[in-house]
Amino acid sequence: AGVPCIEWSGTGVSMKEQLERGSPDVPSDLYKQACVSTVEEALARAEKVGFPLMVKASEGGGGKGIRMVSKIADLPDALQQVQAEVVGSPVFLMRLFSGGRHLEVQVLADQHGNVTTLNGRDCSIQRRHQKIIEEGPAVVADAPTFAEMEKAAASLAKAVGYVGVGTVEYLYRDGKFFFLEMNPRLQVEHTVTELVTDVNLPLAMLMVGMNIPLYQIPDIRTLYGLEDRHGSSVIDFTTAQRIPTKCHVIAARITAENPDTGFRPTSGVIQELNFRVNSHVWGYFSVFGRGAVHEFADSQFGHIFATGGNRESARKHLLLALKELTIYGEIRTTTQYLIKMLETEDFRENRINTMWLDGLLASKAIKTSVAEGPAVFANVLCGAVVKAMTAVKQLRSETVTALDYGRMPSSALLCTEFPVELILDGIKYCITVTCTDSNMFAMNLNGTFVNVDARLLCDGRLLVFIDGKSCTVFFEEDSSGLRLEIDGKTVIFETENDPSRLRASTTGKLVRFLIDDGEEVQPGTAFAEMEVMKMYMQLQASHAGVLHHVANKESYVKAGDVIATLDLHDKEGITQAKVFEGGFPPFSPPHLSGTRCHQQLQGALRRAEAVLSGFTDPSIGGELAQSIVSDLMAALHNPALPFFEIEESFTAVRAALPKDVVEEVETLISKELLPYLLSPVMRSQGQDIPIPSMRSGSDTEEVSLEETKQREDKVVVCCSTLLAKLQAFENDSRLAGLLATLRKHALGHTQLVWNVCGKLIARYMEVETHFTGKLDRREEVIAGLVKLKTTEAKEEVGQTAKRQRQNACVRVYDYMVSNLGVKAKSALINHILTALMSQPSTLQTAFNASRRNSGAEPPAGGGGGGTMFI
């Protein structure tokens, strides 16, 4: 057919005579002359082809059945791997063509001898000789050269009598092209050609199969500029011109591969997959959320296509689509690597070739998990909280199981402090994590503290709050380390380096050992071969030593499994992670707390509940109880507390009330309640109250006893009036919060203070009455608690007996953890009682003191003194 070829094992084999006789069939003897089937034949042909060369199975594809060989000693193994990956396929040798581009022409031929070409694609970006990015048209070749490539492809298809859709692939460099192969099928990247030409290729295949000529296919007629799409006029495809292309398309394959280990395949469950189509982006996926990619499947499970008016526009649209793509699960994906690759200058300027991506991988020029500055510590904090929450979950489960089986759990299972070691980019971070609440953690790195809030989501991810910001974290841990997906970005924490234990890098079948048991291996030597997703991959030793087999050949192994051990020759040469000796940079609290008194009250109550649950905060130290009670009393005695709590509750439900009721409530609050809560000092401290004070005088003016009493009475009257107005809505669950707030303040300020503090005291008594004076009978107390809580759980409707028992054991576990913090709890209650007893019978003095001290100092007698009241 006159198509230029590079040196290969079939060089010199000719079918000229057969073609002249009109026979496109290849005689079997000629076919065998062009192929190799034994090691001896391969060695003989390789001398003529020259090195480096490619060993390729003619029926391979998608990266399977192809190996590069740089020296003759590697040829036997390469031939064996190719033959094993594509069993029964003919195999040929071809001289390696370095630094070129992989361009291909789409061919469509009918049963009447008509052949047309539908532009082409540039598939030069490959890893393991498998395409990862495809684009069209192939703008790297000038128009006359690509026209010659299309002409040669059509000539080849005619010469062999081809029918259907096919792809003729070329190697291109410096204006010259050479035939690589022809794929007689519809390839996965056919959508690139469809978007460029507006030709539905699957439909065209069906119409060709129905014996319809090409010139009667509507999309083909439109492509050649004919107005009558459904006409039957003949088209001379050798002279007719296609209409110009109107767009550029770039496609990216989404694969379950780990770019940090040379795109090794991975397998596992996909927890979530979220992809959005728009006018410039289209794609498809073969699996969905809660699906899986198993170890015997092809690694590609998705394909995304982006269009634009030119190449740069298509690149930007693809970048945006990849950044919006969300994939969480046990697998690794190439998404983040593709994003960084598309942003490189070489890609933008189209300075790429078939070896370009391999060069990036070898030089590690692109890293998907690199972070700098505070982002590094944010990643470390996420890793530490994952480790801590995993440990808490494990200890809780073991304790509950022990209680359920009637055993006394060890006190070590009630631990709320965990040492965590994380290795990131060769640096080891030694962190002490302390649970300060059910969702809060204090991180201690060499004496510096950062607080983190983490909550488990229903899909298994964590919602983590750090530095006033939130992020979602998916985590997966195995013997090779801890992998986090933080808002879609991958972070890998490695395990301590141990080169004496050789592990499987991915899940698959251990085909064979390349080094016998007891033999020596050198660094970089391949010692075993695995079959992963129908491909054969070699495992290499990183150090010299004597190899000992652990796994059996032909056995199934998982990623991280030890398949061999190594008696190292030089143990001193092992590189260990460097311990980080610095501290955390300044971080804000996980949540930006408000400055209003009701927000301060909520914060103080949360901290008090945490202490009563047995947690402590090492970042505050011994002043924790005093700090909590000081904030609690200052907020409770702030005269603006009723207004802000009522305002917050009312704002949340005002949409659920009729307009006239809303107006009445707003009028009552602004005219009857608000003026009595204002004072000059509150305005000077920036209290955000919209209505000016009705008082006059200086900020230091003392408030009279009569005025204080009036304020308290006015709050009671106003709340009672509001309750009466809202009585018709008391069965509306949406208003439950507002009604509860009004009832709380309708009882009066003194009762409010005692109710709040009384609940904390009752919370203390609920646990400690069971343990007080019974330290020598702890096992008996816990057994009695399990029995008591089991009896209470039986009253729960809709729960099975097993579930009731588990719920009871969980409650007892919470009691046990709470009791471990009895010292801190007692200190907190002592401070609360001291503060209550130090208050005068009225709020006069407290209010005057709050004005003088800005509410920052605790009441007299509320310091660290006092004795335990139990």
Side-chain angles (χ1 to χ4, degrees):
V3 180
C5 299
I6 60 176
E7 192 73 23
W8 71 299
S9 56
T11 299
V13 178
S14 175
M15 277 191 60
K16 185 176 181 180
E17 294 181 4
Q18 286 81 359
L19 292 175
E20 289 176 350
R21 293 197 303 267
S23 174
D25 296 331
V26 181
S28 59
D29 58 333
L30 286 180
Y31 200 88
K32 289 181 180 179
Q33 291 179 33
C35 301
V36 298
S37 58
T38 65
V39 173
E40 291 73 21
E41 289 179 357
L43 293 174
R45 302 284 177 84
E47 293 293 341
K48 296 179 181 180
V49 173
F51 290 91
L53 57 79
M54 304 298 295
V55 182
K56 193 172 190 314
S58 64
E59 297 176 7
K64 299 179 180 67
I66 184 171
R67 290 292 187 279
M68 185 186 76
V69 178
S70 57
K71 57 182 184 293
I72 197 167
D74 297 337
L75 185 57
D77 277 346
L79 178 63
Q80 182 178 359
Q81 292 172 8
V82 168
Q83 291 174 330
E85 286 183 359
V86 190
V87 178
S89 170
V91 178
F92 61 89
L93 309 181
M94 179 179 287
R95 183 68 182 269
L96 179 66
F97 187 84
S98 301
R101 303 285 284 253
H102 178 115
L103 306 185
E104 51 191 43
V105 174
Q106 187 72 67
V107 174
L108 179 62
D110 63 17
Q111 301 182 46
H112 302 275
N114 298 305
V115 178
T116 184
T117 56
L118 306 176
N119 215 296
R121 301 180 289 265
D122 186 343
C123 306
S124 301
I125 300 181
Q126 305 175 5
R127 81 279 181 269
R128 295 198 311 272
H129 315 295
Q130 185 178 11
K131 304 164 188 175
I132 191 170
I133 295 288
E134 306 101 351
E135 58 180 298
V139 295
V140 67
D142 57 57
T145 301
F146 200 80
E148 287 297 319
M149 296 170 70
E150 290 189 82
K151 182 179 178 181
S155 176
L156 178 62
K158 279 188 175 182
V160 299
Y162 189 77
V163 175
V165 173
T167 303
V168 177
E169 300 184 354
Y170 295 100
L171 295 171
Y172 171 87
R173 184 176 62 196
D174 300 330
K176 298 180 180 180
F177 61 92
F178 302 91
F179 174 74
L180 177 61
E181 65 180 4
M182 182 174 184
N183 280 313
R185 64 177 183 271
L186 189 68
Q187 295 182 282
V188 295
E189 65 269 23
H190 70 86
T191 306
V192 172
T193 298
E194 292 191 22
L195 291 170
V196 170
T197 63
D198 281 336
V199 174
N200 186 328
L201 287 178
L203 176 60
M205 284 182 64
L206 289 174
M207 298 184 77
V208 166
M210 296 166 63
N211 203 24
I212 297 175
L214 292 183
Y215 54 79
Q216 290 186 359
I217 298 176
D219 286 351
I220 298 298
R221 296 183 66 82
T222 301
L223 179 65
Y224 279 88
L226 300 180
E227 295 182 359
D228 185 5
R229 277 178 54 85
H230 301 286
S232 58
S233 57
V234 177
I235 301 175
D236 183 358
F237 293 106
T238 60
T239 59
Q241 298 295 315
R242 298 188 304 262
I243 62 175
T245 58
K246 298 179 180 179
C247 69
H248 193 94
V249 180
I250 304 179
R253 299 189 184 194
I254 307 302
T255 58
E257 296 174 333
N258 183 358
D260 296 330
T261 58
F263 283 78
R264 285 189 178 274
T266 64
S267 59
V269 175
I270 296 177
Q271 301 288 346
E272 178 183 343
L273 194 157
N274 185 16
F275 170 68
R276 285 175 283 185
V277 176
N278 59 49
S279 58
H280 296 286
V281 176
W282 180 84
Y284 65 88
F285 291 85
S286 59
V287 295
F288 303 95
R290 300 295 176 180
V293 177
H294 64 77
E295 58 272 16
F296 301 110
D298 189 274
S299 61
Q300 182 181 353
F301 65 95
H303 217 156
I304 297 178
F305 303 85
T307 62
N310 52 44
R311 187 175 186 271
E312 178 62 13
S313 176
R315 184 189 72 88
K316 290 180 178 178
H317 288 143
L318 181 58
L319 265 176
L320 183 60
L322 290 172
K323 289 179 179 179
E324 292 180 344
L325 175 64
T326 302
I327 302 174
Y328 293 113
E330 297 174 353
I331 64 170
R332 290 291 305 277
T333 71
T334 54
T335 305
Q336 292 301 316
Y337 195 94
L338 293 177
I339 291 172
K340 293 181 179 292
M341 186 185 71
L342 292 172
E343 291 175 337
T344 62
E345 183 180 356
D346 283 342
F347 186 88
R348 290 199 305 269
E349 300 298 326
N350 205 10
R351 297 194 301 261
I352 56 178
N353 56 55
T354 55
M355 305 296 291
W356 178 69
L357 181 54
D358 289 333
L360 291 181
L361 294 172
S363 63
K364 300 186 183 298
I366 296 178
K367 294 184 178 180
T368 59
S369 59
V370 173
E372 298 178 353
V376 174
F377 293 98
N379 294 342
V380 171
L381 289 169
C382 288
V385 79
V386 165
K387 287 276 193 179
M389 291 191 72
T390 302
V392 169
K393 182 179 179 181
Q394 178 64 27
L395 295 179
R396 184 187 185 98
S397 176
E398 292 181 14
T399 303
V400 170
T401 301
L403 292 171
D404 193 18
Y405 282 91
R407 300 194 303 265
M408 175 57 59
S410 168
S411 59
L413 297 178
L414 306 176
C415 180
T416 59
E417 185 174 285
F418 309 93
V420 173
E421 292 185 354
L422 296 168
I423 300 176
L424 181 62
D425 297 330
I427 305 296
K428 180 188 288 188
Y429 300 86
C430 301
I431 302 172
T432 301
V433 184
T434 304
C435 301
T436 60
D437 202 345
S438 57
N439 300 314
M440 296 289 294
F441 302 86
M443 308 289 181
N444 180 0
L445 176 61
N446 299 325
T448 58
F449 290 90
V450 174
N451 290 310
V452 178
D453 183 357
R455 299 161 190 268
L456 186 65
L457 301 177
C458 60
D459 61 359
R461 286 183 292 167
L462 293 180
L463 179 62
V464 180
F465 297 87
I466 300 174
D467 199 28
K469 304 171 185 176
S470 66
C471 61
T472 56
V473 180
F474 175 85
F475 56 95
E476 180 73 18
E477 186 170 14
D478 55 30
S479 56
S480 62
L482 173 65
R483 174 173 64 91
L484 305 183
E485 297 285 344
I486 305 175
D487 283 343
K489 296 182 178 179
T490 303
V491 179
I492 304 293
F493 294 99
E494 313 105 17
T495 55
E496 195 73 62
N497 183 30
D498 185 3
S500 67
R501 298 171 68 82
L502 305 178
R503 301 178 183 273
S505 58
T506 187
T507 301
K509 184 174 75 173
L510 177 62
V511 177
R512 59 174 178 154
F513 283 100
L514 304 176
I515 303 294
D516 292 335
D517 194 297
E519 295 293 324
E520 291 193 1
V521 295
Q522 298 300 321
T525 302
F527 68 90
E529 194 171 71
M530 289 185 63
E531 180 184 356
V532 181
M533 294 182 173
K534 301 180 182 180
M535 298 183 64
Y536 282 67
M537 308 180 69
Q538 293 184 341
L539 304 179
Q540 297 179 341
S542 59
H543 289 68
V546 177
L547 185 75
H548 297 287
H549 299 174
V550 174
N552 297 320
K553 66 178 183 178
E554 298 295 328
S555 63
Y556 174 82
V557 295
K558 294 183 178 180
D561 286 354
V562 176
I563 62 175
T565 59
L566 204 60
D567 293 338
L568 299 173
H569 290 335
D570 181 15
K571 295 184 180 181
E572 301 297 327
I574 300 176
T575 303
Q576 298 290 341
K578 183 180 179 182
V579 177
F580 182 76
E581 298 180 351
F584 287 121
F587 276 88
S588 300
H591 301 284
L592 301 178
S593 56
T595 58
R596 290 180 171 179
C597 56
H598 71 299
Q599 295 166 332
Q600 294 174 345
L601 175 61
Q602 293 166 3
L605 289 174
R606 281 195 299 268
R607 294 161 63 198
E609 287 288 347
V611 171
L612 294 173
S613 296
F615 301 109
T616 187
D617 190 344
S619 62
I620 298 179
E623 302 301 322
L624 177 61
Q626 182 176 345
S627 172
I628 293 173
V629 174
S630 175
D631 293 344
L632 178 67
M633 292 301 172
L636 283 173
H637 294 307
N638 192 310
L641 180 64
F643 170 76
F644 285 124
E645 288 198 329
I646 295 172
E647 179 193 47
E648 182 178 64
S649 299
F650 175 67
T651 302
V653 300
R654 61 181 299 160
L657 293 170
K659 184 177 179 181
D660 58 327
V661 176
V662 171
E663 292 176 351
E664 288 184 27
V665 172
E666 288 179 339
T667 300
L668 186 61
I669 292 176
S670 61
K671 291 186 176 181
E672 301 297 330
L673 176 63
L674 185 58
Y676 285 90
L677 300 178
L678 299 174
S679 69
V681 70
M682 289 167 60
R683 293 197 306 277
S684 70
Q685 293 172 8
Q687 294 283 4
D688 184 17
I689 300 178
I691 300 177
S693 173
M694 299 177 66
R695 283 181 44 81
S696 60
S698 67
D699 288 352
T700 59
E701 180 182 359
E702 295 289 329
V703 178
S704 67
L705 178 62
E706 180 182 357
E707 185 176 19
T708 301
K709 186 67 169 62
Q710 287 178 352
R711 280 194 174 124
E712 183 177 350
D713 292 343
K714 199 65 179 179
V715 169
V716 173
V717 172
C718 182
C719 290
S720 299
T721 304
L722 287 172
L723 284 171
K725 290 185 177 295
L726 297 174
Q727 186 175 5
F729 305 95
E730 63 180 7
N731 293 326
D732 190 336
S733 59
R734 294 173 296 178
L735 273 64
L738 173 61
L739 295 175
T741 301
L742 293 173
R743 293 189 183 104
K744 177 173 65 175
H745 289 287
L747 297 175
H749 179 71
T750 302
Q751 189 64 42
L752 169 69
V753 174
W754 280 102
N755 284 347
V756 171
C757 295
K759 288 181 180 179
L760 297 177
I761 296 172
R763 177 86 166 79
Y764 176 93
M765 299 293 291
E766 178 187 359
V767 176
E768 296 310 319
T769 51
H770 297 286
F771 293 95
T772 302
K774 302 176 183 178
L775 297 179
D776 57 338
R777 293 181 291 142
R778 186 175 178 83
E779 293 188 16
E780 178 184 335
V781 171
I782 293 174
L785 277 172
V786 172
K787 183 176 181 180
L788 173 64
K789 294 303 175 184
T790 302
T791 302
E792 294 176 355
K794 289 181 179 179
E795 299 175 2
E796 298 177 4
V797 178
Q799 297 280 354
T800 63
K802 182 177 181 180
R803 185 62 181 168
Q804 292 169 352
R805 173 76 174 182
Q806 289 177 341
N807 289 344
C809 293
V810 168
R811 293 189 181 101
V812 174
Y813 167 82
D814 293 337
Y815 275 31
M816 295 171 68
V817 173
S818 175
N819 177 248
L820 288 181
V822 63
K823 184 176 180 180
K825 292 165 57 178
S826 299
L828 175 70
I829 298 302
N830 279 333
H831 279 288
I832 290 175
L833 292 174
T834 302
L836 289 174
M837 291 185 291
S838 67
Q839 298 300 316
S841 57
T842 68
L843 302 178
Q844 169 69 39
T845 306
F847 183 69
N848 290 335
S850 68
R851 292 180 59 188
R852 288 192 298 269
N853 302 321
S854 300
E857 296 295 328
T867 58
M868 289 181 59
F869 67 93
I870 293 181

